[in-house]
């Protein structure tokens, strides 16, 4: 198993976003198993012909999303499936619930707003 990433310079998506989404997709689908060691920022930047800062930005976003974890000098690894993402989603849901309550929305209106946002993000059913 290995990381398979391509960056299309003609894409409307920024290179770091292309990298972020491809690594996330591979990790979430299981093509990159939990514990898989990712290349260093410099090594991957060299392979893809990108600036190290571009790869570092993608890695930071993936770490924030709970997809990968950095273990200090030991390297960067694919995180255990769902753990970080589930924690992050629960925190976001709690923040949303507090915010809509402060705004005065009732439960039905809050759920409708969340469902509309999810439809927009994931596409119509």
């Amino acid at each position: 198993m290995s990381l398979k990433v391509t960056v299309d310079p003609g894409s409307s998506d920024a290179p770091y976003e292309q990298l972020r989404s491809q690594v996330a997709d591979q990790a979430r689908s299981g093509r990159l198993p939990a514990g898989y060691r990712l290349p260093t920022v410099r090594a991957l930047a060299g392979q893809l012909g990108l600036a190290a800062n571009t790869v570092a930005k993608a890695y930071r976003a993936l770490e924030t999303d709970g997809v990968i974890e950095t273990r200090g000098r030991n390297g960067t690894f694919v995180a255990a499936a769902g753990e970080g993402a589930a924690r992050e989603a629960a925190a976001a849901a709690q923040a949303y619930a507090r915010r809509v309550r402060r705004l005065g929305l009732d439960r039905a209106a809050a759920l409708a707003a969340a469902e509309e946002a999810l439809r927009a993000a994931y596409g119509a059913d």
Side-chain angles (χ1 to χ4, degrees), residues 31-115:
R31 288 185 308 240
L32 290 178
Y36 176 83
R37 186 177 183 164
L38 294 168
T40 65
V41 167
R42 285 191 180 129
L44 188 55
Q47 290 171 15
L48 298 174
L50 297 173
N53 285 341
T54 300
V55 175
K57 184 175 182 178
Y59 275 20
R60 282 192 304 273
L62 288 161
E63 191 157 23
T64 298
D65 292 345
V67 176
I68 65 172
E69 59 188 5
T70 300
R71 300 177 191 162
R73 301 191 76 166
N74 293 323
T76 302
F77 299 84
V78 173
E83 289 178 14
R87 279 193 306 272
E88 189 76 21
Q94 289 170 354
Y96 174 75
R98 287 190 301 271
R99 179 75 176 133
V100 295
R101 187 162 186 175
R102 280 194 308 270
L103 291 170
L105 273 68
D106 64 17
R107 183 183 176 101
L111 282 171
E115 287 172 351

